[in-house]
């Protein structure tokens, strides 16, 4: 049989996620934040998947899906009757055990019952993702004649049958077919394409659809809607709530509870009734609590996600029909009600405006204005393809709330459905919760390896038991029971639950500090965090901005700074500030972006919207009007077309909303009584200057801009353009690209964005303990540089190298940086160092940082990937980064071996928060539900808190694991010693050890709180490291030796009588008594030794419950040892010696045991080995991470990076700009003409530069500072002084 193999490569916006092997067919693999218990074995599957032979990927086929991003391999299988029959014979012969194994490993069941075939003939497909997780899905056939009511749970209302099916094609077209083959994986449907011979994700109207298509549609008739729904299913995001019995059944079939069933069954057979009953009671209680909590979480998630509503759909003409939202399909045109609604689908806006609250998706509580999709028919072209990312400002997303609508005349606010169900933006978020990304944590993986080691010990004991009991002619049945009993002793069934104790207490402590953990498996990972990425705005800095001043430009010359903007002339600058925004009045309150709000309020103007009743407030397309609060006299009105009026009223006719990709927004306005329209634009200075006429831009623009950005101010440029020939109808349809060009540059708005008071202390704490801090922001580069220095993310003496990456090369430019004080002291003069000798950057005693923009980062990823590890290793500042780039950056940092945390305010940080090992959201919006941690404190103080609790939880898990391992081996040793004479511990001795000692100490073991101070060293994360292995081995050697010594020592006494074998299981004897008495002290000793305090946890004395428990249990053990009451002797079946002196020797031996264990743990392991020998011998050290190797190379390589001086880089930029002049040439020349006379000479010699020569004034050249002889170019330029800035502008006038 020929084998067919395929590779599935699906590209999209969301990040890779963890999908368990039975995500759809067997839904017991659910979100980590909903069921941590199942994750105990789900993690094992995530990392323990078997890798198939290379033939599995011998051929490839692309399966395109623009919703998720994941590389998967797919293979087709068809049923093999003979293989199926043989497999079921084997299942019967193994009493169903083989079927249980197949339940855990479904890919092997498929291979044992099916044979490989082509995808075209397959009835089942097997998929494997990049995490080596397997998915088995049935390939189903949907025929046009089939009744799809309730089919696959995708439909809840009957939709009947139709003569044909409609499947989507490119360009918004649909093809008629009689049937389709498909399978459903991770809530998405994949259909077979006969043309490409591949399974493709069911396409919606957001793929390969031109913008012109949406304006040519007239809505769907009910019949066509029904036919499409047969393929798309219902428009619903449903979270299934499992019945209690199903939850119970699936949990019982996990490996942990199967082992519990095996253990209890064995104990009942061996008549260990009490202990078995106790385990059954605890298991039932645990299962009951689990089923209740899991079902409660499912119901809470369903109640939060599932919504029901009715919508109005347009059927064409005047026909509007009201239907349930679940019946919507792509292509339907819905009427958005004027009072708003909760969107039930992703839809593109065709007419009218909508004010939308998108906090559910973005975390931003600021309302967003949505405008209609530009109609390409205006310029008689087909127009570009619709892209839901690029046209986000014209798209209403599922789950967002439309607050108000506005439309022209009697025209309805219409939107066409483009995506439904789990394909929507809300569906993506829900799927990211249901199927989270796997966290590869060494501690979790090594837990299973260690259990295998314990199983190996149990196997050795099993062989030993057979040998010893065969020698004594023990019946075979008894030998089997005794041998299997050793397995339940060597591998403690309670181990998985014990490992979660520290995590549970850590979550409680975090909750007390207003930090909520949704995914308990992330707590331990926080203990090894060594890199933290921070968003800037709203995270490091305050959300709000304060208006610092306006810098006007008249005739391409700077005018004096205006701090009181209310006293400005009513010229274009003030009109732009009053009109170029997205503010609106909601419930009689002015709402909108904080920057827009602060800018508008600083003008002292009023904003008025149509004064109609709220219910019909936006039923008409009436312009918003702005006007000054008080009339002014002597103001300039000629610029705004007001004629003689001293009380201007400006109407905002059209708004082009802000786009992060375009870095600007604009409005078309018309003044009362004016004959023409005006365009006002605001945005990033670089973008606005590139769109402005060169003759309107001051020559020293770049220098002035740098003056403020280096101080950490937020700088926005404003521009104007008259539109004399524009008519009202054309103003409603014209595209922004047609008007946003040839602008008149009018100046800068300078706004303050202060650091939060908690930022600098937290960054200092992290830096002091060698936790790397990284800034990832969408803001300006120079502003980010200033904030990084101010918060001490970049040291005051550290150098910053700007990375300028293009598709053809990478330039390393040494930036000018503060050499004395950061920007926290703006009134003090500071020195700037201009790099002249690149070797200064690479001095061993001087650290340097890389800084780059999002465009350079993208070019590095695409064209210079070999440089990415080095640059990311030293990268500290990443500016102008979009949400997708933030997530990619986190991934690249993880690839270097870092354990990364991401802290953001939830706005545009969701992707990075999901990708990081520990995402910490500072937003209470629903978007934070996918982040493992959510802090109600809106500052970064939560970061060290989470790390401290993570370290405490990880150390607790380590200690608890070592305690459980030593407990099982200690009890295993006791049983092995007693087996040698045919004896054993009694049932109540087991109960005393397991319930009273182990359970009580284990419960309080993790209550020790985290230490209040972070230290540089991180706790170990490997159970198979030399230190934990040496610790466990050392303790076990001591415990075994003590038990053996006591066993033989009691036999030396004259009153000793040996144990006599019997079949009545009467185990009372001196041997049993000696081993039991000393072992009960050993369990307490182990708990004390492994319960470490500093540096990661507080002292053990702070854990009052644990200390009290140890005291009470120790007293009880001493009482049992010295003089127990008769009922205790009878209950435990003890055989105590009559000598009190000998009993006191047990206490003395226990004290010696305690001293030996403390010496072993504290001196031999922690001091001698961990601190002395590991530092002396490299072979004992752990393997270096990738980032450590790269860092060592960077420190030793003085030839890299090849740093250019600022002068060299700007000269090269000038030459490149002059070779191919463009709209950006003015900006480049403004940057280039700042430092040197040589650049000015170059401009004079080049004909292409003549249009820009008039912008090069002698004033800008007078700012040059000649370098001292024999050294780098060094000068003093107090650019950090606000007073100096004003003086500089005055000198430029």
């Amino acid at each position: 049989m020929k084998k067919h193999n395929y590779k599935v490569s699906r590209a999209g916006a969301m990040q890779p996620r963890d999908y368990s092997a039975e995500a759809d067919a067997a839904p017991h693999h659910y979100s980590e934040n909903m069921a941590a218990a199942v994750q105990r074995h789900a993690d094992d599957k995530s990392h323990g998947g078997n890798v198939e032979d290379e033939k599995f990927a011998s051929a490839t086929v692309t399966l395109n899906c623009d919703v998720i991003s994941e590389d998967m391999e797919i293979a087709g299988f068809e049923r093999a009757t003979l293989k199926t029959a043989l497999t079921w014979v084997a299942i019967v012969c193994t009493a169903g055990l083989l079927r249980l194994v197949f339940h855990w490993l479904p890919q092997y069941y498929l291979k044992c019952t099916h044979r490989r075939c082509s995808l075209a003939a397959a009835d089942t497909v097997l998929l494997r993702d990049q995490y080596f997780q397997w998915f088995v899905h049935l390939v189903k056939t949907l025929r046009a004649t089939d009744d799809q009511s309730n089919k696959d749970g995708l439909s809840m209302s009957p939709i009947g049958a139709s003569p044909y099916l409609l499947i989507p094609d490119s360009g918004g077209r649909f093809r008629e077919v009689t049937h389709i083959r498909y399978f459903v994986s991770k809530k998405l449907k994949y259909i077979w394409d006969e043309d490409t011979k591949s399974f493709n994700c069911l396409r919606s109207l957001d793929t390969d659809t031109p913008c012109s298509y949406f304006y040519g549609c007239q809505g769907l008739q009910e019949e066509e809607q029904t036919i499409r729904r047969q393929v798309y299913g219902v428009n619903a995001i449903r979270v299934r709530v499992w019945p209690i019995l199903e939850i119970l059944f699936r949990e019982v079939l996990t490996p942990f509870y199967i082992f519990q069933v095996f253990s209890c069954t064995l104990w009942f057979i061996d008549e260990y009734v009490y202990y078995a009953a106790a385990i059954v009671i605890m298991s039932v209680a645990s299962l009951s609590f689990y089923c209740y909590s899991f079902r409660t979480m499912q119901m809470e998630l369903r109640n939060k996600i599932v919504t029901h509503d009715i919508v109005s759909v347009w059927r064409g003409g005047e026909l509007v029909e009201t239907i349930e939202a679940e019946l919507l399909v792509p292509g339907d045109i819905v009427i958005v009600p004027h009072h708003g609604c909760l969107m039930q689908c992703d839809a593109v806006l065709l007419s009218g405006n909508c004010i939308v609250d998108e906090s559910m998706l973005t975390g931003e509580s600021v309302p967003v204005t949505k405008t209609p999709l530009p109609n390409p028919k205006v310029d008689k072209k087909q127009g570009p393809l619709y892209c839901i990312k690029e046209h986000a400002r014209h798209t209403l997303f599922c789950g967002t709330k439309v607050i108000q609508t506005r439309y022209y005349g009697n025209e309805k606010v219409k939107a066409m459905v483009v995506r439904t169900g789990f394909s929507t933006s809300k569906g993506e978020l829900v799927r990211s919760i249901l199927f989270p990304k796997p966290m590869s944590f060494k501690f979790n993986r090594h837990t299973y390896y260690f259990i295998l080691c314990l199983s190996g010990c149990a196997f050795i004991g099993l062989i030993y038991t057979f040998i010893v009991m065969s020698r004594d002619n023990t019946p075979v049945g008894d030998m089997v029971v005794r041998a299997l009993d050793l397995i339940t002793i060597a591998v403690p069934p309670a181990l998985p639950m014990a490992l979660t104790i520290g995590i549970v207490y850590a979550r409680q402590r975090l909750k007390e500090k207003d930090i909520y953990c949704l995914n308990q498996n992330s707590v331990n990972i926080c203990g090894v965090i060594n890199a933290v990425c921070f968003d800037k705005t709203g995270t490091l800095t305050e959300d709000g901005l304060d208006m610092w001043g306006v810098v006007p430009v008249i005739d391409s010359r700077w005018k004096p700074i205006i701090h009181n903007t209310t006293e400005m002339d009513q010229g274009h600058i003030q009109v732009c500030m009053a009109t170029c925004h997205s503010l609106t009045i909601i419930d009689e309150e002015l709402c909108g972006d904080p920057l827009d709000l602060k800018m508008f309020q600083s003008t002292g103007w009023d904003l008025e919207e149509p004064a109609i009743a709220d219910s019909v407030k936006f039923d008409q397309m009436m312009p918003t009007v702005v006007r000054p609060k008080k009339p002014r006299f002597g103001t300039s009105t000629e610029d705004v077309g007001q004629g003689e009026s001293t009380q201007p009223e400006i109407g905002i006719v059209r708004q082009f909303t802000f786009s992060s990709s375009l870095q600007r927004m604009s409005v078309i306005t018309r003044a009362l009584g004016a004959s023409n329209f005006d365009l006002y634009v605001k945005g990033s200075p670089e973008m606005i200057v590139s769109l402005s006429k060169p003759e309107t831009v001051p020559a020293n623009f770049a220098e002035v801009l740098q003056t403020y950005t280096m101080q950490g101010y937020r700088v926005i440029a404003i521009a104007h353009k008259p539109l004399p020939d524009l008519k009202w109808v054309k103003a409603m349809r014209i595209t922004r690209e047609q008007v946003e060009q040839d602008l008149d540059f009018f100046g800068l708005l300078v706004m303050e964005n202060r650091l939060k008071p908690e930022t600098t202390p937290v960054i200092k704490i992290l830096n002091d303990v060698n936790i790397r801090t990284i800034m990832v922001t969408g803001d300006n580069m120079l502003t980010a540089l200033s904030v990084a220095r101010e918060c001490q993310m970049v040291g005051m003496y550290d150098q910053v190298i700007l990375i300028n990456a293009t598709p053809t090369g990478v330039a390393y430019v040494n930036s000018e940086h503060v050499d004395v004080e950061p920007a926290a002291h703006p009134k003090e003069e500071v020195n700037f160092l201009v790099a002249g000798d690149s070797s200064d950057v690479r001095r061993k005693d001087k650290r340097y940082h890389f800084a780059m923009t999002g465009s350079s980062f993208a070019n590095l990823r695409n064209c210079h990937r070999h440089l990415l590890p080095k640059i990311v290793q030293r990268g500290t500042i990443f500016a102008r980064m979009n949400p997708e780039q933030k997530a990619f950056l986190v991934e690249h940092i993880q690839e270097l071996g870092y354990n990364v945390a991401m802290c953001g305010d939830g706005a545009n940080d969701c992707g990075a928060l999901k990708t990081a090992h520990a995402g910490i959201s500072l937003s209470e919006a629903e978007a934070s539900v996918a982040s493992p941690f959510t802090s109600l404190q809106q500052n970064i103080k939560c970061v060290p808190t989470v790390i401290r609790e993570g370290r405490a939880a990880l150390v607790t898990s380590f200690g608890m694991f070592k305690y459980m391992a030593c407990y099982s081996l200690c009890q295993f040793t006791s049983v092995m010693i007693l087996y040698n004479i045919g004896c054993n511990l009694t049932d109540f001795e087991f109960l005393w050890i397991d319930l009273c000692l182990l359970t009580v100490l284990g419960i309080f073991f993790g209550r020790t709180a985290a230490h209040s101070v972070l230290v540089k060293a991180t706790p170990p994360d490997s159970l198979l490291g030399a230190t934990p292995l040496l610790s466990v081995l050392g303790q076990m050697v001591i415990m075994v030796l003590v038990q053996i010594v006591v066993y033989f020592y009691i036999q030396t006494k004259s009153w000793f009588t040996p144990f006599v074998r019997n079949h009545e299981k009467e185990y009372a004897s001196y041997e049993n008594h000696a081993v039991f008495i000393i072992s009960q002290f050993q369990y307490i000793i182990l708990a004390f030794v492994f319960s470490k305090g500093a540096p990661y946890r507080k002292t053990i004395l702070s854990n009052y419950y644990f200390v009290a428990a140890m005291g009470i249990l120790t007293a009880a053990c001493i009482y049992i040892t010295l003089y127990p009451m008769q009922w205790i002797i009878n209950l435990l079946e003890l055989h105590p010696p009559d000598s009190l002196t000998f009993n006191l020797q047990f206490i003395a031996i226990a004290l010696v045991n305690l001293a030996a264990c403390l010496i072993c743990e504290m001196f031999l392991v922690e001091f001698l080995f961990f601190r002395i020998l590991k530092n002396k011998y490299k072979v004992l050290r752990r393997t270096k991470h990738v980032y450590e190797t790269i860092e060592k190379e960077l420190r030793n390589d003085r030839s890299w990076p090849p740093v250019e001086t600022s002068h060299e880089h700007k000269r090269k930029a000038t030459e490149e700009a002059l070779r191919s002049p463009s709209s950006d040439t003015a900006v480049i020349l403004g940057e280039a003409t700042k430092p040197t006379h040589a650049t000015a000479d170059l401009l004079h010699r080049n004909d292409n530069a003549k249009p820009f020569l008039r912008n090069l004034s002698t004033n800008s050249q007078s700012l040059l500072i000649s370098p001292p002889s024999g050294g780098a170019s060094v000068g003093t330029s107090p650019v950090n002084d606000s007073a100096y800035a004003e003086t500089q502008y005055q000198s430029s006038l």
Side-chain angles (χ1 to χ4, degrees), residues 570 604-606 626-632 646-649:
Q570 293 169 357
W605 287 36
D606 285 329
V626 294
R627 62 169 62 89
K629 290 183 179 179
K630 296 179 181 179
R632 301 214 187 98
T646 59
Q647 181 75 6
E649 292 189 5

Side-chain angles (χ1 to χ4, degrees), residues 1163-1178 1180-1181:
F1163 177 75
L1164 295 180
V1165 176
E1166 294 185 359
F1167 177 76
L1168 183 62
F1169 179 80
F1170 187 74
R1171 298 184 183 180
I1172 306 300
L1173 296 180
K1174 284 188 71 173
N1175 293 331
K1176 188 175 181 180
Y1177 300 103
K1178 293 183 179 180
L1180 298 177
R1181 302 174 193 170

Side-chain angles (χ1 to χ4, degrees), residues 978-999:
L978 295 177
Y979 271 9
N980 186 52
I981 59 173
C983 188
N984 198 355
L985 296 174
T986 66
D987 287 359
F988 282 97
E989 286 174 340
F990 275 120
L991 282 174
W992 169 250
I993 293 171
D994 293 329
L995 295 183
C996 299
L997 297 180
L998 176 70
T999 305

Side-chain angles (χ1 to χ4, degrees), residues 32 36 39-48 437-452 495-496 499-500 503 519-526 528 917 953-954 957-958 961 1020-1024:
E32 292 177 336
Q39 190 64 32
R40 293 192 297 269
H41 63 89
D43 280 346
D44 187 32
K45 292 185 179 182
S46 300
H47 306 292
K437 170 191 170 185
M439 289 297 175
S440 178
F441 190 37
K442 193 181 297 183
F443 175 80
N444 293 337
R445 298 197 305 271
H446 290 181
T447 299
Y448 300 105
Y449 301 151
F450 213 103
I451 291 176
L452 289 178
L495 179 60
L499 294 180
T500 63
I503 298 174
N519 179 4
Q520 70 174 17
N521 292 314
S522 297
V523 176
N524 275 346
I525 300 179
C526 292
V528 290
H917 290 103
L954 181 58
S957 296
F958 254 90
F961 187 91
D1021 60 348
S1022 172
L1023 281 171
L1024 301 183

Side-chain angles (χ1 to χ4, degrees), residues 721-736:
K721 179 183 180 180
L723 303 173
D725 300 326
L726 192 65
K727 303 301 181 184
W728 180 273
V729 175
K730 189 174 182 180
M732 293 295 102
R733 297 183 178 180
I734 197 168
T735 62
R736 65 190 309 168

Side-chain angles (χ1 to χ4, degrees), residues 617-873:
K617 184 172 184 179
F618 298 107
D619 287 357
Q620 304 179 43
M621 191 62 179
M622 298 179 64
T624 299
V625 175
V626 294
R627 62 169 62 89
K629 290 183 179 179
K630 296 179 181 179
R632 301 214 187 98
F633 302 95
T635 57
S636 173
T637 58
E638 57 184 0
D639 289 337
V640 294
Q642 285 293 103
E644 299 296 327
S645 174
T646 59
Q647 181 75 6
E649 292 189 5
I650 313 294
I652 304 174
V653 177
R654 179 84 183 276
Q655 182 185 100
F656 299 108
T657 54
F658 176 79
S659 169
S660 57
S661 59
L662 298 178
Q663 300 179 20
R664 64 183 184 271
M665 77 162 292
S666 60
V667 291
I668 297 177
T669 68
R670 189 171 186 176
L672 181 65
S675 59
N676 65 285
F677 292 91
D678 292 277
L679 176 76
Y680 291 99
V681 188
K682 81 173 193 305
S684 70
E686 301 90 344
M687 177 58 67
I688 298 302
V689 168
S690 69
L691 298 174
S692 300
K693 301 174 184 175
E695 61 270 18
T696 65
V697 180
N700 58 343
F701 163 78
E703 181 176 316
V704 172
L705 175 62
Q706 188 180 30
T707 300
Y708 282 104
T709 54
M710 285 294 290
Q711 297 179 72
Y713 291 116
R714 180 80 175 269
V715 182
I716 301 171
I718 55 179
H720 166 261
K721 179 183 180 180
L723 303 173
D725 300 326
L726 192 65
K727 303 301 181 184
W728 180 273
V729 175
K730 189 174 182 180
M732 293 295 102
R733 297 183 178 180
I734 197 168
T735 62
R736 65 190 309 168
E737 290 78 10
Q738 294 175 283
V739 292
E740 291 176 348
Q741 55 183 325
D742 296 328
L743 308 175
D744 294 326
F745 184 77
F746 269 86
L748 301 174
L749 304 182
V750 184
M751 310 188 80
E752 291 181 293
N753 189 200
R754 297 186 180 91
L755 278 178
K756 293 182 178 180
E758 301 85 1
T759 296
T760 302
V762 170
I763 296 297
K764 186 178 186 303
I765 289 173
L766 298 178
N767 289 339
D768 289 344
V769 297
N770 293 337
I771 294 178
R772 184 179 169 194
T773 55
I774 303 160
M775 182 190 298
V776 190
T777 178
D779 208 343
N780 176 276
M781 169 59 76
L782 294 178
T783 302
L785 279 170
S786 175
V787 172
R789 287 196 181 279
E790 187 176 355
C791 71
Q792 300 182 16
M793 191 175 289
V794 174
M796 64 179 68
Y797 299 107
D798 291 353
Q799 293 172 314
V800 178
I801 300 175
L802 299 178
I803 302 296
N804 184 16
T806 64
T808 57
V810 180
Y812 307 85
V813 185
N814 188 30
S815 69
E816 298 180 355
H817 71 286
V818 179
D819 200 34
V820 177
E821 288 289 336
H825 307 285
K827 296 302 180 183
E828 301 177 11
E829 291 192 358
V830 293
N831 293 328
F832 272 70
L833 174 64
V834 180
D837 181 7
S838 63
S839 64
D840 181 68
V841 177
R842 296 184 292 269
R843 275 181 12 208
K844 278 192 173 183
D845 60 341
K846 180 152 295 198
R847 178 170 175 79
Y848 62 88
H849 305 258
F850 288 132
M852 72 194 74
T853 62
S855 59
S856 291
F857 178 72
N859 287 328
L860 283 173
R861 293 187 70 248
N862 298 330
C863 307
H864 312 284
R865 207 172 183 89
H866 64 286
L867 296 174
L868 205 54
K870 288 184 177 181
I871 293 176
V872 170
Q873 170 59 25

Side-chain angles (χ1 to χ4, degrees), residues 1013-1176:
V1013 178
L1014 282 176
V1015 295
K1016 289 185 177 181
T1018 59
D1021 60 348
S1022 172
L1023 281 171
L1024 301 183
T1027 302
L1029 288 179
L1030 184 61
S1031 174
V1032 172
L1033 291 176
Q1035 298 299 326
M1036 283 313 305
V1037 168
I1038 296 172
M1039 298 301 173
V1040 172
L1041 287 177
V1042 169
Q1043 288 195 29
I1044 293 175
V1045 167
V1046 170
Y1047 173 77
F1048 285 107
Y1049 178 64
I1050 198 172
Q1051 297 180 26
T1052 63
K1053 299 302 177 181
S1054 58
W1055 39 260
F1056 172 78
T1057 55
F1059 172 74
V1060 179
R1061 298 175 183 272
N1062 60 83
H1063 297 290
E1064 287 77 21
K1065 297 181 180 180
E1066 297 290 340
Y1067 296 138
S1069 63
Y1070 285 121
E1071 296 93 337
N1072 170 282
H1073 182 84
V1075 172
F1076 168 73
I1077 290 298
I1078 198 62
S1079 67
Q1080 65 175 349
F1081 288 107
Q1082 289 181 329
Y1083 300 124
I1084 300 176
I1085 291 170
L1086 287 171
F1088 177 76
V1089 170
F1090 290 138
S1091 182
K1092 296 180 181 178
Y1096 307 113
R1097 304 199 308 172
K1098 291 182 179 179
T1099 175
I1100 189 177
L1101 298 178
S1102 65
N1103 189 345
Y1104 304 118
Y1105 292 96
F1106 185 65
V1107 173
M1110 282 199 302
I1112 294 173
L1113 292 175
T1114 302
C1117 291
I1118 293 174
Y1119 174 75
I1120 293 173
T1121 302
L1122 297 180
Y1123 194 75
M1125 296 180 66
Q1126 188 61 42
W1127 70 270
I1128 295 179
I1129 295 175
N1130 297 336
L1131 181 68
L1132 297 177
E1133 300 181 45
L1134 299 177
H1135 189 41
D1138 294 332
S1139 173
L1140 180 62
T1141 303
F1142 183 82
N1143 290 334
L1144 287 173
Q1145 293 178 11
F1146 281 121
I1147 308 299
I1149 294 174
L1151 292 175
V1152 173
N1153 192 348
L1154 172 62
C1157 290
L1158 289 175
I1159 292 172
C1160 175
E1161 187 70 14
M1162 300 178 67
F1163 177 75
L1164 295 180
V1165 176
E1166 294 185 359
F1167 177 76
L1168 183 62
F1169 179 80
F1170 187 74
R1171 298 184 183 180
I1172 306 300
L1173 296 180
K1174 284 188 71 173
N1175 293 331
K1176 188 175 181 180

Side-chain angles (χ1 to χ4, degrees), residues 892-1039:
H892 287 300
I893 298 174
Q894 290 172 332
E895 290 172 0
L896 297 182
Y898 284 102
N899 295 297
V900 185
M902 173 69 192
C903 183
D905 60 355
N908 302 324
D909 298 319
C910 291
L913 290 170
K914 297 172 190 173
T915 306
H917 290 103
I920 306 174
S921 173
L922 303 184
S923 170
E924 299 181 52
E926 292 183 56
S928 64
V929 74
S931 179
F933 299 93
T934 299
S935 173
L936 300 186
Q937 299 176 358
Q938 304 301 306
N939 57 67
I940 64 173
K941 284 180 65 177
C942 59
V943 174
T945 301
V946 169
I947 294 176
R948 283 197 301 268
E949 292 294 346
R951 290 183 175 187
L954 181 58
V955 170
T956 299
S957 296
F958 254 90
M960 197 66 197
F961 187 91
K962 292 193 293 183
Y963 177 56
M964 293 295 295
C966 289
Y967 143 77
S968 62
L969 292 175
C970 188
Q971 194 173 78
F972 176 79
T973 302
S974 301
V975 173
M976 292 281 287
I977 292 174
L978 295 177
Y979 271 9
N980 186 52
I981 59 173
C983 188
N984 198 355
L985 296 174
T986 66
D987 287 359
F988 282 97
E989 286 174 340
F990 275 120
L991 282 174
W992 169 250
I993 293 171
D994 293 329
L995 295 183
C996 299
L997 297 180
L998 176 70
T999 305
V1000 173
L1001 292 175
I1003 289 175
F1004 298 126
F1005 189 95
R1007 285 189 62 90
T1008 306
H1011 202 279
S1012 58
V1013 178
L1014 282 176
V1015 295
K1016 289 185 177 181
T1018 59
D1021 60 348
S1022 172
L1023 281 171
L1024 301 183
T1027 302
L1029 288 179
L1030 184 61
S1031 174
V1032 172
L1033 291 176
Q1035 298 299 326
M1036 283 313 305
V1037 168
I1038 296 172
M1039 298 301 173

